[in-house]
Structures are given as structure tokens and as C-alpha cells.
Amino acid sequence: MADQKISELVQINIGDLADEDEFVIADASASDNKSITWGEMTQSSSTDTTAGRLMAVEAFGLGGYSNAPSGDDMNNADVSGFWTHGSTFDNTFDNDTGIVLTAARSTSRMWQIGGTDDPGDMRMFLRNRDSGGWSGWQEFWHTGNLEVQSDPLDDTSGRVMTTRAAGILHNNQGSEEPDDVESTRIFRGDGTANDSFSGQFTGWSFARGNGARKVQLVVDHSAATGDAGTRYYDGTSWSAFKRFWHEGNTTVDGSGFLLEASPIVRVYTDSISEPNQPVGATLTHSETGVYVLSGVPPLASEGWQVRTPEDHNGNKVVAIDPPEYDADAGTLTLRTYDLLWHEGRLVPGDPMDVPDEYFVMLRFHEEPEEEQD
């Protein structure tokens, strides 16, 4: 190349330059000029990392095709750029051909992200490196290598669960027979399978192994009681539901005993309370030993109805006549008396109010809630 001043150069065809061609950097005010050859200015290869050298197309895989690392080892692809590997290379993410991008912050801090170059097997992987060396490759999951449930009840092993799967984040698909629920999931029933849960309910089924052992937990939709129960499958048959006792379906009498509850009214000396499923009763106590409750249903048709208070030794502290219910008025009259010992037994005496610190418990009929879709 003939000597030319920079001011005279309009265009240089790089393809016409040879490594030995020399550039002279001159300073009109200086006595010594500096010269550099074209070969010293440019990369010696597409992976030459000499600082300050000019890059060409395909340098580190840019604008062209990726380079293979030295030694056919992906651990040596340790400078930023695009790299390729064959199926026999060391430290690859798969025994196949692929392409890797390296992003390096320093000689000991970098990460690599790579993917297979087979259109029929699209997978991607990531790893990083610190002063302790390279981590293992971690695979990305995507729609090309994941199987998704075909519907919320699809229990095919290994498939990805979606919203509403197994009843999660969903109000379920409709009523099911609990006996038909095989897998671990949430379900809904209408109570036809067991008399203990005659209303609508939500259930949780827990299956072990291949479903040979299962446990179900069921909660009634009744806002009043919130009844719940559980049962067990031993591989042959289901047990009956075992009902849970809790504050919604039990009450404690004046002697501290736990009793099954529906709507309950406690009658004290001169007041009432409703600890379970209030019915909105009002009390009229105008004469000794006579308590009239208004706005109440009839007493329970099954189980206990009236609980007479007892002292710490189990002795009753008041006598009670069978309550009188007026269906037309919606009132119930409770009469209490003193206890007298007569001819070897306790009999009612004069009218007497319920003693202080005690109460009579009345259990009323509970109408079933109307089922909803």
C-alpha cells in the first residue's frame, strides 16, 4: 500500500490489506512517529481476546457462525460470545449438538445459557460460574417439553397442574359421589352417599400410593353448624363417617358435661342466652318459677330436649315440668319448682326460680338449610 496521509485517505478496502501493511501515526509537532501493522491492529482469529484489537464479522460468533471452544470443552468457552459444541464435547448440557451464549463479568464470574439445535428436541439450559467453579446445568421448562392436564380432573402422572386442577382455585365441577374420588384432590358432594352429611358439602380426599389407602375429610356447607367428619378406605371398603364435635354442634351444660347441640337456649334466674345457633328468643318472667320464651320453634324431635342443672355431687337443684309449647303463638312455657323429699323420693314442691349460678338448657328443632347449586 502506497504511503498516504490520513487527510488524503477517503476509503480503504480492508480486503486489500496484508498483515505486514504498516500504518504510521504522525504528529506534525513531534519528532518521533509511531507505526503499527495491520496484523497488530486486528484479531489473529475469531476468538483472539487480545485487548484493543479490532473485531471482524464472526468474532466470538457475532454476525456469523458460533465458534467451538478450545479442547472441545465448554468450560473453556469462558469469554463473552456465542459458542457451539458437538455431541462428544466435554461439560455440555446434553450429549447432542448445541449452541451456548457466554456472558462474562470477569474471569471467575459468568453464566452460560444454551439450547439444542435440533428442531424436534427444543430444550434450553443455564449454568453459572464463580470462584468455586461451574455449577451444574439447569433445564428450562416450557410448553415444548411439558405436558399439561387435559382437564381439571386429569390425573396422568407427571403432567403439569393448571388453575382449577384437583379443585384448587375453583368451586369444583358439580356434585360427586365420594366413593368415586380416587386421587388426592378437593371435591363436592350433595350428601346422597351418607346420612351423616345429608346437605351439600365440600370434601378433601387424600390418596396414598396407588389409591389403595385413602382418607376423606368432609365439611357440611351449613353455616349454622359447619358439621365435619372423616372416613378411611383400607383397600377393600370405606368406613362410616366419624363426625367431629366442636363449638358449633355441641354445648356444655350447667354441670360441665358436653352435649350435642342444635339451637340452644339457656334459662337463668332472670335472663336467657343462646350459645349455639340463635333463634332470637325473648323471655317473659312475670311470676316465680314461670318462664315464657317467645319466637321459638318446637323442641328437638330427636335426642335430648331439656337439661336440668345439677350440683357438684350430681344432685338436681330444681324440678321441671315438661315444657308446654304453643305452636300458634310460637311460645314455650317452662315451669320450675323446689325439690321436696317425699316418701323416699324427690318430688316438685312450690314454684321456685332457677337458682343463681345455674341454668336450664332447652334444645330446639333445627330446620335443614335449603340446598343451593
Side-chain angles (χ1 to χ4, degrees), residues 16-334:
D16 294 336
L17 297 176
D19 287 348
E20 64 273 11
D21 284 338
E22 186 177 74
F23 289 82
V24 177
I25 302 175
D27 186 343
S29 62
S31 58
D32 55 338
N33 298 326
K34 297 180 180 179
S35 64
I36 184 171
T37 66
W38 177 249
E40 293 171 329
M41 294 174 62
T42 59
Q43 287 180 303
S44 60
S45 69
S46 60
T47 58
D48 180 5
T49 59
T50 305
R53 292 200 168 180
L54 298 177
M55 296 170 59
V57 173
E58 295 192 9
F60 303 107
L62 295 172
Y65 299 103
S66 303
N67 301 289
S70 62
D72 292 348
D73 188 341
M74 292 310 296
N75 285 356
N76 295 331
D78 54 1
V79 294
S80 296
F82 294 91
W83 305 87
T84 186
H85 68 78
S87 59
T88 61
F89 281 32
D90 294 327
N91 297 302
T92 63
F93 48 76
D94 194 22
N95 295 324
D96 201 349
T97 58
I99 301 169
V100 172
L101 168 63
T102 299
R105 192 178 82 177
S106 66
T107 56
S108 62
R109 297 281 181 178
M110 64 192 71
W111 55 256
Q112 290 180 336
I113 185 170
T116 58
D117 56 6
D118 180 358
D121 182 28
M122 295 187 298
R123 289 178 294 151
M124 295 192 69
F125 300 81
L126 174 72
R127 69 170 181 167
N128 60 23
R129 173 179 167 180
D130 59 17
S131 57
W134 286 100
S135 69
W137 288 99
Q138 305 296 322
E139 185 170 3
F140 290 104
W141 294 101
H142 53 79
T143 55
N145 58 9
L146 285 177
E147 286 191 76
V148 181
Q149 285 181 305
S150 59
D151 61 69
L153 299 182
D154 180 4
D155 59 1
T156 305
S157 178
R159 289 191 172 177
V160 176
M161 297 175 65
T162 60
T163 301
R164 300 186 175 190
I168 298 172
L169 299 179
H170 181 39
N171 58 5
N172 299 305
Q173 288 64 240
S175 296
E176 298 180 75
E177 287 288 340
D179 287 359
D180 296 335
V181 179
E182 297 290 338
S183 57
T184 298
R185 61 183 177 89
I186 302 171
F187 65 97
R188 173 185 165 190
D190 60 10
T192 58
N194 191 282
D195 290 339
S196 295
F197 295 92
S198 57
Q200 294 178 330
F201 61 83
T202 295
W204 290 261
S205 181
F206 304 91
R208 170 182 150 193
N210 59 0
R213 297 288 188 272
K214 290 177 284 191
V215 173
Q216 288 181 345
L217 171 66
V218 170
V219 178
D220 196 303
H221 288 182
S222 169
T225 62
D227 276 353
T230 186
R231 66 174 185 163
Y232 175 72
Y233 183 76
D234 62 5
T236 303
S237 60
W238 285 99
S239 69
F241 273 108
K242 303 297 189 296
R243 189 181 185 192
F244 294 153
W245 296 110
H246 52 77
E247 291 180 352
N249 58 18
T250 63
T251 189
V252 178
D253 69 9
S255 302
F257 291 101
L258 189 69
L259 301 174
E260 181 178 8
S262 52
I264 299 291
V265 174
R266 291 177 177 175
V267 180
Y268 298 87
T269 304
D270 200 29
S271 63
I272 61 173
S273 69
E274 299 185 60
N276 296 85
Q277 306 172 46
V279 295
T282 58
L283 172 67
T284 301
H285 181 210
S286 57
E287 57 183 296
T288 301
V290 180
Y291 299 86
V292 179
L293 301 178
S294 302
V296 295
L299 292 175
S301 58
E302 297 180 352
W304 68 274
Q305 294 180 327
V306 181
R307 191 73 172 181
T308 305
E310 299 176 350
D311 64 19
H312 297 303
N313 296 315
N315 301 310
K316 297 185 183 301
V317 298
V318 68
I320 300 175
D321 273 348
E324 304 164 7
Y325 184 69
D326 185 337
D328 293 333
T331 61
L332 182 139
T333 302
L334 173 70

